[in-house]
Amino acid sequence: LVTWQPHVGPAASALLTGGDWRRIGALAGAGGWGAFDTAGLLLSGQDSTTPLHYDRHHNVFLQVCGAKRFLLFGPDEAPRLYGFPAQHPLDPLSRVDLDAPPGRLDAQWPRLRE
C-alpha cells in the first residue's frame, strides 16, 4: 500500500489498511471500468467545499457521515468551465468560482452561461 500522505490519522489508516481491495476491484470490473490499479482517498471535514474540477478517473463515492451535494457537468461542457491548461500546477481545477456573484461570473467567464 502506497499513500501520498505518509502520516494519516488513525481513522484514515484503518480505512487504507483494513479495506477489502479485492471487492473494490470487483466493483470496478462490474462497472466496466477496466482493471483497478489506482485508488485515491479524499477526506474532508464539516462545511468543506471542493473546488470545481474534473477527474481523470472513475470514482466510487462513500459518504460516512452528513451530506454532500454534487454539481455534475458532462464532458461536452469542459470548454465552458475554463480549466487550467494541461501541465499547469492547478490542472485539473477550473478557474471559475461558482460562488461569485452572477454579474461577475457573466463578465469574467462569458462562455459559462452558454
Side-chain angles (χ1 to χ4, degrees):
L1 177 67
V2 178
T3 66
W4 69 97
Q5 289 280 52
H7 306 290
V8 295
S13 180
L15 200 79
L16 290 171
T17 58
D20 185 350
W21 296 104
R22 290 182 308 256
R23 290 186 67 198
I24 295 173
L27 178 63
W33 300 344
F36 176 72
D37 59 5
T38 303
L41 176 65
L42 172 67
L43 301 173
S44 61
Q46 184 175 350
D47 299 326
S48 63
T49 300
T50 304
L52 183 59
H53 68 282
Y54 68 89
D55 292 321
R56 293 181 177 96
H57 46 75
H58 294 287
N59 289 275
V60 175
F61 181 80
L62 171 66
Q63 184 74 35
V64 176
C65 181
K68 181 170 181 89
R69 187 177 73 186
F70 288 88
L71 177 61
L72 301 176
F73 296 92
D76 57 317
E77 302 291 336
R80 293 185 280 281
L81 298 177
Y82 296 91
F84 283 93
Q87 306 304 316
H88 187 282
L90 295 178
D91 175 40
L93 296 178
S94 170
R95 292 175 277 176
V96 176
D97 177 7
L98 293 177
D99 290 327
R104 190 171 124 221
L105 281 174
D106 293 340
Q108 196 167 4
W109 313 109
R111 291 192 318 250
L112 187 63
R113 299 269 183 210
E114 292 177 4

